Structure formats: C-alpha cells, structure tokens
Amino acid sequence: MNPNQIIEETARDAYGRVLSYLAVNWRDLQAVEDAIGDAFLAALETWPKVGVPDKPEAWLVTTARRRLIDRARRTRISERALPTLIAMSEDAQRLTSSEAVFPDERLRMMFLCTHPAIDPVMRTPLMLQTVLGVDAARIASAFVIKPSTMGQRLTRAKAKIRAERLILEMPDAEEIPDRLDSVLEAIYAAYGSGWDEVDAADSPRRGLASEAVYLGRMLLQLAPREPEIYGLLSLMLHCEARREARHDDKGNYVPLSEQECKRWDMSLIMEAERYLHAASQAGRLGRFQLMAAIQSVHAQRSHTGIIEWEAIAQLYEGLIRIHPTLGALVGQAAAVAEAYGADSGMGLLQAIPSTKVANYQPYWALAAHLHKRMNRKEDALDAYSRAIGLSADVSVRQFLSRQASQIEIQHG
C-alpha cells in the first residue's frame, strides 16, 4: 500500500479519534479541525519522502498539536490551554515511542456535544460530523433536510461553541441519563449510514457500522444501568447477524422476509437476545428496545419458519406512541399490510403527509410494493421509478427494477 493510500485509510479510520483526543482538551472545534487538516496535508508532503511512521495516529496528533500551540501563541487567546497541549505533546511522544494503545476519546467527545448551551436539535448532527466523520450531505439525508441547511446549522453550532467559549466537560454520572438520548441517536445514525454502504468497498463510511457497535459496547461500560443502551446494542447486533444474508451468491439484494435463515449469524442473534432481555429487566420501555423487539420477532423465523406480522404491527404501534419517526410510520404500514391486507397498509401509508416523504426511499419502495399487490399498475410503476431514483445501493436499485419489470410482463 502506497503512502497516499495509507493516509486516506488513516483519515477514514482515525479522524474521529484524533479530533476527539485533541478537542476534549481544546474549546475551539474549528481550530482543531483546521489543525488536523494541516496535519494531513503535512502527511501528504512528508510520508511519501521519508516513509510512513509506525504510529500514524500519534504522528498526526503531534503535528496537529504543534499547529494549535503555534496558533495559541500567535493569538494569545488560549494561553490557559497551553499547559494542557504541552502535556498532550508529551503523551503523543510516549504513544509514538511505546506500545501503548492510542486513547479513544470519542465517547467523551460525544457527551461534550450534549452541552446544555448547544441546541438539542444539533447535538446528534454535531457528533456525527465531528466525532464520526459523516459528511453534512449524508447527515442531511438522515434527517430529511437540505444539505445546505444542515451545513449552515453545523457551522453555526461550532461558531457558538467558539464564540461563547463553552467549557466542554463530561457530565456528572447523574447527568448522563438526561444527555444520553443524543448520544444514542448519533450511534444509531452512524450505524445506519455504515449499514447502507457496508458492501461498497470504496465508501468512506464502510466501517461505520462496526464502529457504531464498538461505541455502543463502550457506552454500556460507562452507563451499565441504562436499558436503552442494551436496546440499541440488541438492535444493531440483530442487523449485524443478517449482514451475509442481505445478498445472494450472485450479489443480488434479498429483502429481510425472504432471506435464508441459515445464513444468519446465530451467535450474534443470541447475544442480541441477551441484551434485549437485560433491557426488559429495568422496566423502562424505550424506543430502541421496541425497535430491537421488532428485529427479534423477525429472528424467530429461524425457529418457527413464519413471521408473526401481527406482533410486529403491535410493536410498531407502541413505537409510534413514544417516537413517531417517518421510518416507524412506514414500518408500521408495511407490517399492517402483511398482517391485515394491502388496503390497510396503504391507508396508513397515505395518511403520512406528502411533504415529509418526497425524498424518503422506503416510503416509495413500500408504496410500489402495495400498489403492485393491489393491481394498480400505473401507480406501482410511478412509485418504483421514484424509489429507484432515491436508492443509493446499486443492488437495491436492481432489485426494484426487477420488481417493476414483472408488472410490465404481467400486463404486457
């Protein structure tokens, strides 16, 4: 692997760790991001000439830290931070010259982003960009808003941290439960972003799903009595267990209800079930526990051979009561259609305001499927066309195209 490829891989895998390590001791996120950018530029110039350092992350931290110290000395506005940065320099030197493991401060950084002065709506997007390296366009897609709008909001959030010189501190143990939701949401959104592109070898988000599971496990160690952490871990592991079954041997996309159970990883399913059981013992039902329970019902098909759609529809009803997201509403419509007929599912789907679903691919994929079942050829073809246009995954586009072509054959 040449130096440029190593730099690219390091940027993809280590950016969040490097930023978090620096930012937890430095108030100016923009300055940290600029310093890391300078460090990567220096790597591009230096590594091809002198070789890749044994510990690329520590080299980047040392270089970025130098930039921050230089900037602090020039501006004289951050002198109180200088002793910390100098101490960090010594840490970085130790990490470079020893077998010590580079500290992972990402979870701490995520909690810093839940500072009460930061707009609650922006806490999760801020974590996704700064800690997990998800770009603004992808975050905007997850939150179903325009990329330009999300970019502006992220810029404003960072400017507020800088302008008000917010002291980004870890919350006390008793404060963690109140600030946990945004962290859980960020880990879940990161998992979803990575899951969508887990098979794309060239995607910078390819490893995010595994990173999200890792962060979920770290979070459980930090707050072992929070049932929603168990719920989120259960949800992610149920999905991870089915990774190999998402595509057949020819690379074709396979919907969950048609997957071969023998291709599921039963050890991961058992672990997911243990986490879900542990969550239920707390007696505090939450969003992620209900989402995990839905996946658990799907997993039971490996033993029973059937999908209990009525149970799934009931779980979605509970989920919508406490967290009525667009995804939950579409999921409920799908489950109701399977349990009680396409007409019932379509009724729920059409009750969702049209302004919310214009760019939401799962809505159009389900609408196409239900129109097809109801023999509404034109409506089905129109919905398939929209779903295909909104699909980022090539295998999903091909699957939907095959479904649409069956209508043409049937009515040709």
Side-chain angles (χ1 to χ4, degrees):
M1 189 181 293
N2 67 45
N4 285 353
Q5 287 177 306
I6 293 174
I7 292 167
E8 185 179 329
E9 190 174 283
T10 304
R12 184 169 61 237
D13 297 340
Y15 181 86
R17 288 195 295 273
V18 171
L19 180 138
S20 298
Y21 180 67
L22 290 167
V24 292
N25 294 295
W26 191 259
R27 297 173 183 174
D28 191 337
L29 269 180
Q30 188 62 58
V32 170
E33 289 177 333
D34 291 345
I36 293 172
D38 289 346
F40 275 108
L41 283 175
L44 283 168
E45 293 173 1
T46 308
W47 294 4
K49 297 174 185 174
V50 302
V52 177
D54 291 336
K55 295 198 171 183
E57 287 182 37
W59 188 97
L60 290 165
V61 164
T62 301
T63 305
R65 188 267 321 160
R66 282 198 205 104
R67 299 291 194 276
L68 287 170
I69 287 179
D70 290 344
R71 182 179 184 277
R73 283 173 172 156
R74 280 199 312 273
T75 59
R76 292 190 163 275
I77 59 171
S78 305
E79 288 181 351
R80 283 184 298 174
L82 277 173
T84 300
L85 283 172
I86 291 166
M88 287 169 65
S89 172
E90 295 169 358
D91 283 346
Q93 295 293 348
R94 178 179 58 80
L95 289 164
T96 304
S97 58
S98 73
E99 293 304 311
V101 177
F102 192 86
D104 193 336
E105 298 278 21
R106 287 176 298 172
L107 206 57
R108 186 178 171 198
M109 182 64 195
M110 291 172 83
F111 272 103
L112 302 186
C113 291
T114 67
H115 190 287
I118 297 172
D119 181 356
V121 173
M122 289 310 299
R123 291 172 189 173
T124 292
L126 196 60
M127 290 178 220
L128 285 170
Q129 187 189 58
T130 59
V131 183
L132 294 161
V134 182
D135 59 83
R138 185 70 183 194
I139 298 169
S141 174
F143 286 82
V144 200
I145 65 171
K146 293 180 180 178
S148 58
T149 303
M150 179 56 75
Q152 289 165 2
R153 290 178 183 175
L154 285 164
T155 300
R156 284 199 297 270
K158 292 178 198 174
K160 182 182 179 72
I161 293 171
R162 184 170 62 250
E164 298 187 11
R165 300 190 58 72
L166 299 181
I167 299 173
L168 297 176
E169 296 177 333
M170 269 293 284
D172 295 333
E174 60 270 19
E175 292 179 300
I176 285 177
D178 293 332
R179 293 166 71 166
L180 185 63
D181 283 351
S182 297
V183 177
L184 290 171
E185 178 67 31
I187 293 173
Y188 174 59
Y191 183 82
S193 185
W195 175 252
D196 287 343
E197 302 192 24
V198 74
D199 298 304
D202 59 345
S203 172
R205 292 180 288 271
R206 186 179 172 215
L208 263 182
S210 298
E211 288 296 300
V213 173
Y214 173 73
L215 288 170
R217 295 187 192 281
M218 283 178 62
L219 188 56
L220 190 60
Q221 294 174 13
L222 180 68
R225 295 183 179 179
E226 291 300 321
E228 279 291 80
I229 303 175
Y230 289 91
L232 176 58
L233 265 172
S234 176
L235 170 63
M236 293 190 293
L237 290 174
H238 266 303
C239 294
E240 283 294 286
R242 299 194 289 263
R243 181 181 288 196
E244 296 303 317
R246 291 181 75 200
H247 298 88
D248 63 20
D249 293 333
K250 296 179 181 178
N252 296 314
Y253 171 74
V254 182
L256 171 55
S257 59
E258 298 174 21
Q259 288 175 9
E260 294 183 39
C261 300
K262 64 183 180 182
R263 299 189 69 180
W264 293 349
D265 185 328
M266 296 311 297
S267 64
L268 285 179
I269 289 176
M270 289 172 64
E271 185 181 4
E273 289 296 301
R274 287 196 297 272
Y275 282 130
L276 187 56
H277 177 72
S280 70
Q281 301 304 297
R284 286 185 281 137
L285 192 59
R287 167 196 183 188
F288 291 110
Q289 294 169 68
L290 283 166
M291 293 170 74
I294 289 166
Q295 299 308 316
S296 176
V297 175
H298 278 291
Q300 288 168 21
R301 176 163 66 91
S302 63
H303 303 296
T304 64
I306 59 171
I307 302 173
E308 296 285 353
W309 286 111
E310 293 89 347
I312 292 175
Q314 191 172 12
L315 287 166
Y316 268 117
E317 187 177 343
L319 177 60
I320 286 166
R321 281 186 193 146
I322 62 173
H323 203 84
T325 63
L326 192 52
L329 292 168
V330 172
Q332 181 193 32
V336 166
E338 294 296 333
Y340 306 110
D343 286 349
S344 298
M346 183 60 80
L348 288 175
L349 202 60
Q350 291 179 335
I352 303 172
S354 58
T355 52
K356 292 186 176 182
V357 300
N359 296 309
Y360 191 61
Q361 190 273 353
Y363 174 92
W364 294 105
L366 177 59
H369 174 65
L370 296 185
H371 281 309
K372 182 181 177 183
R373 280 179 54 183
M374 298 165 73
N375 294 314
R376 297 175 178 173
K377 176 186 173 184
E378 296 302 328
D379 290 335
L381 289 173
D382 179 60
Y384 273 123
S385 176
R386 297 188 70 160
I388 291 166
L390 292 167
S391 298
D393 188 323
V394 174
S395 66
V396 172
R397 286 201 300 271
Q398 292 171 341
F399 169 79
L400 293 170
S401 295
R402 288 194 297 273
Q403 299 297 308
S405 65
Q406 289 173 6
I407 298 174
E408 298 287 8
I409 294 169
Q410 291 167 3
H411 295 82

